[in-house]
Amino acid sequence: MEDHVKQAIRSFDKLLTRNHSLRDEIDHLQRQRCTLAHIYQRLSRELLSQHNFMENLVEKSVLAYDQRSEALAHMLAVRERSKKDTSLCHTETTELKRVIDHEIKLRSFMVKKF
């Protein structure tokens, strides 16, 4: 009976020791889990901030691209207007030259006639 009690106490002590080591391991794993949860939250916040930053950059680049295309369109319109104005100016100058030449010829004719 005593041997049986000693064996039961020995197995109980072994179970208590194993239980204690398992509890220590559980506590350690819980601390690791808590630490990893904090790291995960920090990384999630950083990732969210990076996503927001990227979205802002994309919006700015889209806005810059739109402004660039508008500026190019405006530049082309100004070029077209400049070409039209130049051709109109050349046409007007040739017309005015013709009128001036006609006036000069008319005046010289009138002077000769008098």
Side-chain angles (χ1 to χ4, degrees):
M1 280 293 240
E2 284 183 26
D3 281 343
H4 187 62
V5 169
K6 283 183 183 180
Q7 284 179 354
I9 289 174
R10 211 177 287 144
S11 70
F12 180 71
D13 287 343
K14 284 181 184 179
L15 287 175
L16 283 178
T17 305
R18 176 140 169 84
N19 188 17
H20 181 66
S21 67
L22 289 175
R23 284 183 187 270
D24 288 342
E25 187 177 344
I26 287 171
D27 288 341
H28 176 71
L29 290 174
Q30 284 178 340
R31 284 191 300 271
Q32 277 185 341
R33 180 176 175 235
C34 183
T35 304
L36 290 175
H38 288 297
I39 291 171
Y40 178 79
Q41 287 175 352
R42 184 176 50 86
L43 290 175
S44 294
R45 284 191 302 267
E46 283 183 32
L47 182 64
L48 183 63
S49 124
Q50 291 294 325
H51 279 297
N52 290 337
F53 183 70
M54 283 180 11
E55 286 176 6
N56 288 338
L57 286 179
V58 167
E59 288 175 10
K60 287 180 182 178
S61 67
V62 166
L63 181 64
Y65 182 78
D66 290 344
Q67 288 175 348
R68 178 181 173 266
S69 62
E70 287 176 8
L72 285 174
H74 183 68
M75 187 174 70
L76 288 174
V78 167
R79 249 188 220 153
E80 297 267 331
R81 233 179 295 133
S82 173
K83 286 180 182 178
K84 286 180 183 176
D85 288 347
T86 304
S87 65
L88 183 64
C89 181
H90 286 305
T91 306
E92 287 178 2
T93 53
T94 54
E95 180 66 27
L96 288 174
K97 282 181 184 178
R98 189 184 64 74
V99 168
I100 290 172
D101 288 341
H102 178 67
E103 289 291 323
I104 290 173
K105 286 180 183 177
L106 185 64
R107 186 173 282 163
S108 69
F109 175 73
M110 293 302 273
V111 168
K112 284 181 185 179
K113 190 142 184 166
F114 283 125

